[in-house]
């Protein structure tokens, strides 16, 4: 899935409740006798077995037969085209597709083009996706040989020239030996998730780096969903020359398929500690509107350049204070190198605040 790693505790997505405790498949004893880690492992096994080769996440909005044009749509897996489940039908086509660009094309906003409507099972489906990845040995669960790919720390540009929309496709065609489609490339490898669209993903977005991002080191094949989750954070720092982007990919060796996408931002005056760092599963499905807006909210704290600069100054001042002297008697804060600041109280601290409570994607 995705994981915030910069001093932030990882929180779990919402899990479904059951009326009957599953029994452990190995090791003997009752479910109640298992410790917390064993219980989680057992639940993961159950989810993986249930997911199989058709994860819950791969369900799609389907048109109701005979509903005309544009027609009505229902969430597949909750009914059939002729008898969809009650309360599951929405008017008009809720799904649209957009190519790999960080700005909306004519006919819809960024959110409408890159997201799905919210639905009740969306957080449980994220957990099911993670279980499916573990079951298939993909994403962060891939154990085969890998290699890292990326541009390294690169300053954000203050102005971006007009983009050639076909340049990254031509580069990808050359990288793959003739295949311009990221989706077809994944299918040829046998790694494509069912009914999932893949993009030619930029580690550093074109909107932040311009022509220098059109580089094979900055391109990989990853899902449209993984690409979409990165966009709010990229947009938040766009045009800020004090930010250094060091996003990269963990690649399946010998291919152009990313298993994990690493997004990492530094400030020029704090080059050894990222103020934003997240890992994204490279097979993530398209997010819902609500999930996308949760990431927009988290990214919004990076938009205020003055606040960002002030936060960096405060961190650097805290480092030079007597309490950080190697012979100081007073113990350093256990909160890490962000030191004397309460969690979430300044723009460099990604740790959860109260406004993150209930956020299954944090």
């Amino acid at each position: 899935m995705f994981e915030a790693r910069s001093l932030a505790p990882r929180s779990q997505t919402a899990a479904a409740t059951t009326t009957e405790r599953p029994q452990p498949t190995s090791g003997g004893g009752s479910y109640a006798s298992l410790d917390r880690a064993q219980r989680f492992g057992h639940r993961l096994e159950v989810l993986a077995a249930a997911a199989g080769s058709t994860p819950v996440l791969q369900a799609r909005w389907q048109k109701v037969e005979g509903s005309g044009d544009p027609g009505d749509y229902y969430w597949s897996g909750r009914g059939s085209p002729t008898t969809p489940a009650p309360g599951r039908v929405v008017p008009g086509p809720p799904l649209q597709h957009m190519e790999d660009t960080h700005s909306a094309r004519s006919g819809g906003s960024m959110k409408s083009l890159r997201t799905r409507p919210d639905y009740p099972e969306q957080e449980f489906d994220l957990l099911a996706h993670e279980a499916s990845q573990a079951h298939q040995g993909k994403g962060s669960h891939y154990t085969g040989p890998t290699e890292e790919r990326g541009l390294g720390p690169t300053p954000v540009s203050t102005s971006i020239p007009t983009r050639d929309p076909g340049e990254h496709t031509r580069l990808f065609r050359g990288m793959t030996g003739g295949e311009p489609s990221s989706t077809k490339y994944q299918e040829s490898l046998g790694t494509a998730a069912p009914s999932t669209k893949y993009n030619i993903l930029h580690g550093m977005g074109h909107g932040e780096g311009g022509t220098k991002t059109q580089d094979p080191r900055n391109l990989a094949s990853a899902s449209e969903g993984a690409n979409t989750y990165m966009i709010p954070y990229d947009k938040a720092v766009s045009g800020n020359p004090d930010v250094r982007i060091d996003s990269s990919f963990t690649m399946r060796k010998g291919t152009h398929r990313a298993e994990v996408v690493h997004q990492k931002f530094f400030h020029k005056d704090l080059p050894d500690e990222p103020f934003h760092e997240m890992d994204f599963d490279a097979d993530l499905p398209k997010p819902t509107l609500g999930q996308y807006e949760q990431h927009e909210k988290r990214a919004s704290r990076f938009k205020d350049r003055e606040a960002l600069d002030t936060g960096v100054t405060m961190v650097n001042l805290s480092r030079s204070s007597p309490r950080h002297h190697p012979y100081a008697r007073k113990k350093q804060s256990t909160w890490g190198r962000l030191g004397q600041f309460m969690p979430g109280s300044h723009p460099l601290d990604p740790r959860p605040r109260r406004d993150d409570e209930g956020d299954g994607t944090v």
Side-chain angles (χ1 to χ4, degrees):
M1 244 188 299
F2 39 78
E3 175 183 10
R5 300 191 300 166
S6 179
L7 305 179
R10 183 174 181 177
S11 60
Q12 298 177 352
T13 55
T17 57
T18 58
T19 57
E20 183 177 332
R21 293 282 193 186
Q23 295 301 312
T25 56
S26 61
S30 66
Y31 185 84
S33 68
L34 301 180
D35 61 28
R36 185 177 180 182
Q38 290 172 322
R39 291 184 184 187
F40 180 76
H42 176 61
R43 289 171 181 169
L44 197 64
E45 290 179 7
V46 172
L47 283 168
S53 60
T54 55
V56 177
L57 274 172
Q58 306 309 326
R60 287 290 184 268
W61 288 96
Q62 305 288 347
K63 187 174 181 179
V64 177
E65 290 182 3
S67 61
D69 189 18
D72 296 328
Y73 289 73
Y74 73 100
W75 186 249
S76 65
R78 301 293 186 272
S80 69
T82 54
T83 56
R88 302 284 179 171
V89 177
V90 296
L95 287 182
Q96 299 184 63
H97 290 294
M98 179 174 142
E99 296 303 319
D100 180 18
T101 177
H102 284 195
S103 60
R105 296 183 178 180
S106 60
S109 66
M110 171 64 72
K111 291 182 184 180
S112 67
L113 290 170
R114 281 198 171 271
T115 64
R116 303 173 287 164
D118 292 310
Y119 62 99
E121 299 88 354
Q122 61 192 39
E123 299 303 336
F124 176 76
D125 280 357
L126 278 175
L127 184 58
H129 173 77
E130 182 74 1
S132 177
Q133 292 290 85
H135 182 69
Q136 299 177 60
K138 296 169 64 179
S140 61
H141 304 279
Y142 179 68
T143 58
T146 61
E147 54 192 1
E148 298 301 308
R149 177 184 296 180
L151 292 175
T154 306
V156 171
S157 300
T158 56
S159 61
I160 305 298
T162 302
R163 175 181 180 178
D164 177 355
E167 185 174 0
H168 67 294
T169 304
R170 291 191 293 271
L171 279 172
F172 189 74
R173 184 199 297 268
M175 292 162 59
T176 61
E179 179 52 69
S181 166
S182 184
T183 301
K184 291 181 179 179
Y185 176 73
Q186 292 269 0
E187 291 172 348
S188 71
L189 294 178
T191 53
S195 304
T196 298
K197 181 181 178 181
Y198 288 83
N199 288 164
I200 303 168
L201 193 151
H202 291 74
M204 181 182 191
H206 183 272
E208 292 67 60
T211 56
K212 58 192 170 190
T213 66
Q214 306 290 43
D215 185 309
R217 296 173 298 166
N218 192 50
L219 300 178
S221 177
S223 71
E224 181 181 32
N227 196 3
T228 301
Y229 277 112
M230 297 176 71
I231 291 175
Y233 303 98
D234 283 336
K235 292 179 68 176
V237 300
S238 181
N240 187 348
D242 293 335
V243 173
R244 306 290 183 263
I245 292 181
D246 189 18
S247 297
S248 61
F249 309 102
T250 294
M251 309 292 298
R252 184 172 293 206
K253 193 169 184 178
T255 74
H256 299 291
R257 167 185 162 79
E259 295 291 343
V260 181
V261 183
H262 311 283
Q263 190 178 46
K264 189 185 298 186
F265 300 162
F266 295 86
H267 192 279
K268 67 178 180 61
D269 294 331
L270 197 65
D272 61 337
E273 186 167 339
F275 65 84
H276 167 69
E277 185 177 13
M278 291 193 78
D279 290 346
F280 298 93
D281 182 293
D283 292 302
L284 277 171
K286 182 185 287 190
T288 65
L289 176 62
Q291 290 166 339
Y292 185 84
E293 289 180 339
Q294 287 171 351
H295 284 270
E296 277 191 318
K297 183 177 181 181
R298 288 177 59 83
S300 64
R301 69 187 77 177
F302 306 141
K303 292 183 177 181
D304 189 331
R305 299 185 189 183
E306 184 176 348
L308 201 59
D309 292 343
T310 300
V312 169
T313 300
M314 293 173 70
V315 171
N316 283 329
L317 283 173
S318 73
R319 287 179 170 185
S320 61
S321 66
R323 72 177 296 174
H324 291 280
H325 192 278
Y327 299 108
R329 292 183 180 180
K330 191 173 181 181
K331 289 183 66 177
Q332 185 175 346
S333 168
T334 57
W335 291 337
R337 288 191 292 174
L338 290 183
Q340 304 149 358
F341 310 111
M342 290 294 290
S345 62
H346 64 90
L348 288 184
D349 191 346
R351 288 171 287 184
R353 299 175 293 176
R354 289 189 176 182
D355 60 359
D356 290 331
E357 290 180 1
D359 182 351
T361 67
V362 175

